[in-house]
Amino acid sequence: RLFKTVRKIAEYKTTVLIQGESGTGKELVARALHDCSPRSDKSFVPVNCGAIPDNLLESELFGHVKGAFTDAMRDKLGLFQQADGGTLFLDEIGELPANLQVKLLRALQEEEIRPLGAETDTKVVDVRVVAATVRNLQEDVDEGLFRADLFYRLNFVPLQLPSLRQRIEDVPLLAEHFVQR
């Protein structure tokens, strides 16, 4: 059922929120969405929002211009620009700090970004965003930890991945895969 849904929605640019326990294959589903889409010939750019320090994440996502901060010796393309025409996979989106939630929402709504340190120079980007998390973002919204407007923008097409204990029939397939590797 999940893969039927993936094939059905792959052709559209809509945002997708993949939720599931660690190890359920969220990135594999995101890659399948990309590979089945008309964007498959463009970049698939994955980023783990929880693995990058908060003070670097804005620069990583949106880029920066020379002189934006002390170590900004040259302009740097952000991941949104690297994924232009393709798919940006935001893993662990629930770890995104509040100030970046606002900027991500704007990027999704306006389909443009402003590199860190740029006065007025915005860049138009054509990016499909697929986000994933192990957290229950609806609970985070209810507790004021995640912006409701961003949640609803990301949750346009929600996909809930079942845990491996709910997919016992997949265990032999996975074992065979790892034996072959």
Side-chain angles (χ1 to χ4, degrees):
R1 194 170 65 226
L2 175 68
F3 287 108
K4 275 186 186 175
T5 303
V6 166
R7 281 190 293 276
K8 215 180 273 186
I9 63 174
E11 67 183 274
Y12 303 105
K13 187 181 172 182
T14 58
T15 56
V16 177
L17 179 62
I18 305 168
Q19 292 182 290
E21 292 180 9
S22 184
T24 55
K26 294 181 290 293
E27 185 168 347
L28 292 175
V29 171
R31 282 187 186 276
L33 274 166
H34 175 76
D35 291 344
C36 294
S37 78
R39 298 170 174 272
S40 63
D41 61 331
K42 302 290 184 184
S43 296
F44 175 84
V45 179
V47 59
N48 184 325
C49 297
I52 300 172
D54 293 355
N55 60 335
L56 297 178
L57 192 54
E58 181 177 1
S59 174
E60 283 297 310
L61 290 175
F62 304 114
H64 64 255
V65 296
K66 180 180 177 180
F69 48 87
T70 306
D71 293 332
M73 303 299 181
R74 58 183 166 79
D75 290 358
K76 177 183 184 272
L77 287 181
L79 297 175
F80 266 90
Q81 287 178 280
Q82 291 176 33
D84 195 21
T87 303
L88 178 60
F89 175 56
L90 300 173
D91 198 8
E92 299 307 336
I93 191 73
E95 304 302 319
L96 200 65
N99 65 320
L100 285 181
Q101 290 178 31
V102 174
K103 293 177 181 184
L104 176 58
L105 178 63
R106 180 161 175 76
L108 292 173
Q109 289 174 334
E110 304 300 325
E111 296 187 339
E112 64 183 25
I113 53 110
R114 178 176 292 150
L116 188 62
E119 296 290 322
T120 57
D121 190 23
T122 59
K123 310 284 186 199
V124 174
V125 289
D126 173 23
V127 175
R128 179 189 204 166
V129 172
V130 177
T133 184
V134 298
R135 299 171 67 146
N136 183 327
L137 286 187
Q138 181 62 64
E139 287 179 6
D140 286 356
V141 167
D142 295 343
E143 295 173 15
L145 301 172
F146 199 84
R147 292 183 62 95
D149 47 2
L150 178 57
F151 171 69
Y152 294 119
R153 174 67 70 159
L154 292 171
N155 200 38
F156 192 80
V157 177
L159 295 178
Q160 183 67 45
L161 298 189
S163 67
L164 190 55
R165 67 183 163 280
Q166 294 170 304
R167 308 180 335 225
I168 299 298
E169 66 279 1
D170 287 354
V171 172
L173 297 170
L174 288 168
E176 178 66 28
H177 169 77
F178 290 119
V179 166
Q180 293 301 319
R181 278 186 99 184

